[in-house]
Amino acid sequence: MSARGLDPDLTRPTQSGVYFVGAHDLDRLAKTARQHELHVCRTDLAGCHDKDELLRRLVVSVPLPASFGYNWDALADCLRDLRWVPAWGHVLLFEHADELRQAAETDYNILLGILDDAATFGGEHEVPWFAFLTLPDDAFDNSHAGA
C-alpha cells in the first residue's frame, strides 16, 4: 500500500496497489481511468460503521455476482477475479474511508488487506488493479507511509 503523494500510472499493472488520497483526487483518478478504458467503481463510505454495511455498499457499487456470500472470503475471491466485468483493468474508489476506519478499525484493516491482495493478484496477472481510499489530510501520517 502506498501513501499519499504518489501518482501511479493506471495503465501499468506493475503499479497496481492500494493508495491513500485526498477527496479532491477521486474525480481526476476516475477520469483518467475511464480515458484508459479501465472499469471504475466508486463506493461512498459516509456513515459506514461496520462490515455488514460495507459489504452492502460494495454489492451496490461493485458488480459482484448474485451468489456473493456477504463475508470476507467471498469479497476476497470476487475482487481477485473480476473477469466477468468487461474491462482490461479495474479502479476502485472509496470516498469517506476514514469513517469506516474510525468506527471499525478491524473491519477497515481487513478491507485493506483484501484490496492489497486483489491488487497484487491483478499485477501478477498483468491486469491493472487499483484501489484509492480517501482520508482527511491529517490522516496522512507515518502510520500509513509504510502500510
Side-chain angles (χ1 to χ4, degrees):
M1 284 173 268
S2 300
R4 181 181 182 194
L6 299 177
D7 201 9
D9 180 345
L10 300 181
T11 66
R12 298 189 60 194
T14 58
Q15 293 186 14
S16 293
V18 178
Y19 296 83
F20 303 101
V21 297
H24 60 278
D25 294 317
L26 288 188
D27 288 335
R28 176 182 55 81
L29 290 163
K31 181 179 178 182
T32 301
R34 286 187 184 103
Q35 286 173 340
H36 293 294
E37 299 178 356
L38 300 171
H39 183 252
V40 177
C41 297
R42 198 165 187 154
T43 305
D44 188 349
L45 298 181
C48 185
H49 298 284
D50 62 24
K51 170 189 167 189
D52 292 335
E53 180 62 24
L54 169 66
L55 294 176
R56 279 192 291 276
R57 292 184 190 205
L58 286 170
V59 164
V60 172
S61 64
V62 179
L64 299 175
S67 61
F68 178 68
Y70 287 89
N71 61 61
W72 292 128
D73 289 337
L75 180 63
D77 290 344
C78 289
L79 292 182
R80 284 183 83 191
D81 182 10
L82 290 168
R83 278 185 272 176
W84 64 86
V85 178
W88 72 286
H90 308 280
V91 175
L92 281 67
L93 306 171
F94 292 88
E95 298 177 81
H96 305 105
D98 198 49
E99 292 192 33
L100 179 63
R101 182 174 75 115
Q102 294 294 327
E105 187 173 0
T106 299
D107 293 340
Y108 173 82
N109 288 330
I110 291 170
L111 173 64
L112 289 181
I114 289 171
L115 295 172
D116 189 52
D117 179 61
T120 299
F121 185 83
E124 290 171 351
H125 290 85
E126 299 298 317
V127 175
W129 203 108
F130 296 86
F132 295 95
L133 294 89
T134 63
L135 296 176
D137 289 339
D138 62 359
F140 294 99
D141 60 17
N142 291 334
S143 68
H144 288 291

